[in-house]
Amino acid sequence: MIRVEHPGLLSTLQDLGRPGCQHMGVTPGGAMDGYSAAIANALVGNPPAAAVLEMTLQGPRLSFERGAWVSLTGADLSAELDGRPLACWRPVWLPAGSRLGFGRPRLGCRAYLAVAGGFEVTAVLGSRSTDLRAGFGGLGGRPLGKGDVIKAGESTLALPDNPSRPCVPAWSAAWNRALPLECPARLRLIPGPDWQDLPDEDRRALETDAFRVGQASDRMGLRLEGPPLHPVSAAERLSAGVTFGTLQLPPDGQPILLGVDRQTTGGYPVLGTVASVDHPRLAQLRPGETVRFEPIPVERAQTLYRIRALQLRRLRTGLDLRWPLNSPSS
């Protein structure tokens, strides 16, 4: 049992989302940084789609009533175990009575906490993800609140030699290097149906000028602030399907970069879609940071996707072998 002493800024239970429901107007949702969420699960022996806790900028304060293997990935939010810095991107044993807290956000926007056995909440439409706008999934469709109690499932991982003390195995994913958080960020963009309708100078602006992430940004979309962009044609467009990473252009000329909780359709011009390999970097952008775009052909984006998928499979295979072959050491 995990008790919420302080909920943080925005902490929600998420998994890899609920695909297959967009025809009913239900967005897939899920973890904004599915890459970091999947690695967090792999580190504690969970299946990729197990529920994790997504924490935004300011993490919560949690009390563990039972000992548990946990892992933290994604953004660096200054995690602390009983007031001492906590290692990330590796499994950590938290003994019963441990308090997990967070300090100042150092790098990135969203961190992910996985607990061995996963978080036990009722699935809705095949997913445990929290849909804040629809009000379902996770903990009743809402963020964590003070006093909430979350139950973790049963874990098959071996206990450390001394369960009453924190324990950190001598190995880690060491994949935080593969989540570059440099600023300005550069996102690779597959040009969309309205890309060629931009004047040359506007296309160059997207590639060379740094667009700032606005304060009015959330899981639905990131509002970008920069030189206004104006398509050659102002003809009204029919609404069409949109996806995570779609770059839309509203009438004010300030682009919107859609997130996982975006609407299922949209009528704004579509300048392109961020390649899925760069979705983790998109998810880690926070207000005030800047971003540029690099147009690439769809074939290149597909190659990058296959490389990333292979890397994740190899990582999971390696971590699965770690647990039965290596006993944790303090």
Side-chain angles (χ1 to χ4, degrees):
M1 306 292 286
I2 303 169
R3 189 172 300 277
V4 180
E5 297 181 351
H6 186 282
L9 182 63
L10 178 65
S11 306
T12 59
L13 291 173
Q14 303 290 344
D15 55 21
L16 297 185
R18 46 178 63 85
C21 299
Q22 290 194 89
H23 64 290
M24 299 185 292
V26 178
T27 184
M32 273 283 282
D33 182 355
Y35 168 77
S36 292
I39 294 178
N41 273 323
L43 283 165
V44 291
N46 291 342
V52 297
L53 184 63
E54 179 181 277
M55 302 162 287
T56 306
L57 291 176
Q58 179 191 345
R61 187 169 63 251
L62 307 173
S63 174
F64 286 73
E65 298 183 0
R66 292 191 310 170
W69 285 107
V70 305
S71 65
L72 278 167
T73 60
D76 182 353
L77 304 186
S78 302
E80 295 181 344
L81 173 60
D82 295 327
R84 296 183 178 181
L86 180 66
C88 298
W89 296 87
R90 61 177 60 220
V92 179
W93 171 260
L94 303 189
S98 296
R99 281 182 166 80
L100 176 64
F102 297 84
R104 180 179 61 85
R106 290 197 184 103
L107 205 60
C109 184
R110 295 174 174 88
Y112 293 86
L113 172 68
V115 58
F119 292 102
E120 285 197 349
V121 289
T122 302
V124 178
L125 296 175
S127 170
R128 292 176 172 82
S129 284
T130 304
D131 189 320
L132 294 171
R133 286 177 171 78
F136 58 70
L139 295 177
R142 60 172 176 81
L144 262 61
K146 182 178 180 180
D148 282 339
V149 176
I150 318 170
K151 185 178 180 182
E154 293 297 323
S155 168
T156 60
L157 301 185
L159 298 179
D161 294 336
N162 186 353
S164 65
R165 296 180 56 193
C167 175
V168 182
W171 49 270
S172 68
W175 266 45
N176 48 338
R177 293 184 225 131
L179 184 62
L181 297 177
E182 79 290 342
C183 193
R186 181 166 290 275
L187 301 180
R188 285 163 285 195
L189 185 76
I190 305 166
D194 299 298
W195 175 258
Q196 293 300 328
D197 201 28
L198 281 179
D200 291 344
E201 58 270 23
D202 283 2
R203 292 201 295 270
R204 283 195 297 270
L206 280 169
E207 298 177 44
T208 60
D209 291 348
F211 284 77
R212 186 176 299 276
V213 178
Q215 294 296 320
S217 298
D218 55 19
R219 285 172 45 90
M220 186 173 183
L222 279 62
R223 293 186 174 272
L224 305 183
E225 301 167 352
L229 308 177
H230 299 291
V232 173
S233 172
E236 189 172 323
R237 289 159 173 78
L238 295 175
S239 292
V242 292
T243 187
F244 182 22
T246 293
L247 185 65
Q248 291 185 317
L249 187 61
D252 64 2
Q254 299 295 298
I256 297 175
L257 196 51
L258 298 185
V260 289
D261 283 352
R262 79 277 173 185
Q263 69 277 16
T264 56
T265 62
Y268 294 147
V270 172
L271 304 181
T273 300
V274 172
S276 57
V277 72
D278 285 342
H279 285 179
R281 183 64 187 98
L282 186 165
Q284 294 297 343
L285 285 168
R286 57 184 180 182
E289 293 186 336
T290 53
V291 59
R292 295 187 177 99
F293 296 92
E294 176 188 344
I296 63 170
V298 65
E299 293 80 10
R300 175 60 179 159
Q302 291 169 339
T303 298
L304 293 170
Y305 174 83
R306 288 192 291 268
I307 292 172
R308 173 59 57 82
L310 178 61
Q311 290 171 334
L312 280 171
R313 284 198 298 271
R314 287 175 174 171
L315 174 68
R316 174 164 285 279
T317 299
L319 293 176
D320 286 346
L321 291 174
R322 289 279 188 178
W323 279 112
L325 294 179
N326 293 274
S327 59
S329 57
S330 299

